[in-house]
């Protein structure tokens, strides 16, 4: 499970970083698919002997891979914040016809929202990857594991 989690974690850093540059709202979708992959890959590497073992192994691999999601989220958020900045965000808000009352207040809200959303989406990604990792482990068991495990083992 550690091997599967680390492999998927490295891949997740790259994908989440890229999608965070577009929008942090895309990261939960990426986390779902990466968690499934981590769970299935944990089954391939660990070859658990029963259904519950494959779910546990998949959930652990998904959670380990979720650390990669947090790292990618933080890096992508930092790059996005430096590229757009509070001035760029204020320009976007004004183009939408919304008022920007004070630059200092908007600046504080921008950075607070940026950091807060990165933390929340990163934690959500860990939870999603652990949950879908368990599902990926169960999928491995249903498709491959049950057939490869000898009866009575």
């Amino acid at each position: 499970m550690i091997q599967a989690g680390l492999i998927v974690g490295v891949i997740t850093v790259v994908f989440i970083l890229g999608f965070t540059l577009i929008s942090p709202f895309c990261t939960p979708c990426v986390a779902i698919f990466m968690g499934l992959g981590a769970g299935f890959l944990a089954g391939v590497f660990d070859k658990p002997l029963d259904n519950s073992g494959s779910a546990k192994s998949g959930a652990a691999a998904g959670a380990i891979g979720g650390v990669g999601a947090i790292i990618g989220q933080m890096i992508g958020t930092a790059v996005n914040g430096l590229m757009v900045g509070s001035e760029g965000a204020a320009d976007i808000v004004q183009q939408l016809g919304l008022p920007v009352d004070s630059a200092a207040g908007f600046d504080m809200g921008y950075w607070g929202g940026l950091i807060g959303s990165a933390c929340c989406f990163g934690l959500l990604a860990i939870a999603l990857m652990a949950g879908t990792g368990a599902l990926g482990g169960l999928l491995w068991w249903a498709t491959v594991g049950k057939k490869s495990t000898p009866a009575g083992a």
Side-chain angles (χ1 to χ4, degrees):
M1 87 182 102
I2 294 174
Q3 188 178 19
L6 291 175
I7 290 170
V8 171
V10 169
I11 296 168
T12 303
V13 167
V14 174
F15 275 105
I16 295 280
L17 191 149
F19 279 102
T20 300
L21 292 177
I22 298 168
S23 172
F25 296 114
C26 299
T27 58
C29 298
V30 174
I32 289 171
F33 292 109
M34 289 295 163
L36 282 169
F40 197 88
L41 197 58
V44 170
F45 287 140
D46 294 348
K47 297 188 182 14
L49 297 176
D50 62 349
N51 197 9
S52 66
S54 63
K56 288 177 187 174
S57 178
I64 292 169
V67 173
I70 284 186
I71 293 169
Q73 184 80 36
M74 293 299 171
I75 295 170
T77 298
V79 171
N80 196 351
L82 293 174
M83 286 174 53
V84 175
S86 61
E87 296 86 19
D91 290 342
I92 293 170
V93 168
Q94 287 175 342
Q95 287 176 359
L96 294 174
L98 301 171
V100 176
D101 294 330
S102 70
F106 186 84
D107 190 43
M108 178 86 91
Y110 172 77
W111 289 108
L114 197 67
I115 293 168
S117 68
C119 292
C120 289
F121 279 118
L123 293 174
L124 177 65
I126 285 182
L128 283 172
M129 286 183 72
T132 56
L135 181 61
L138 292 173
L139 287 172
W140 175 83
W141 176 256
T143 58
V144 178
K146 194 177 348 180
K147 297 174 185 133
S148 65
T149 303

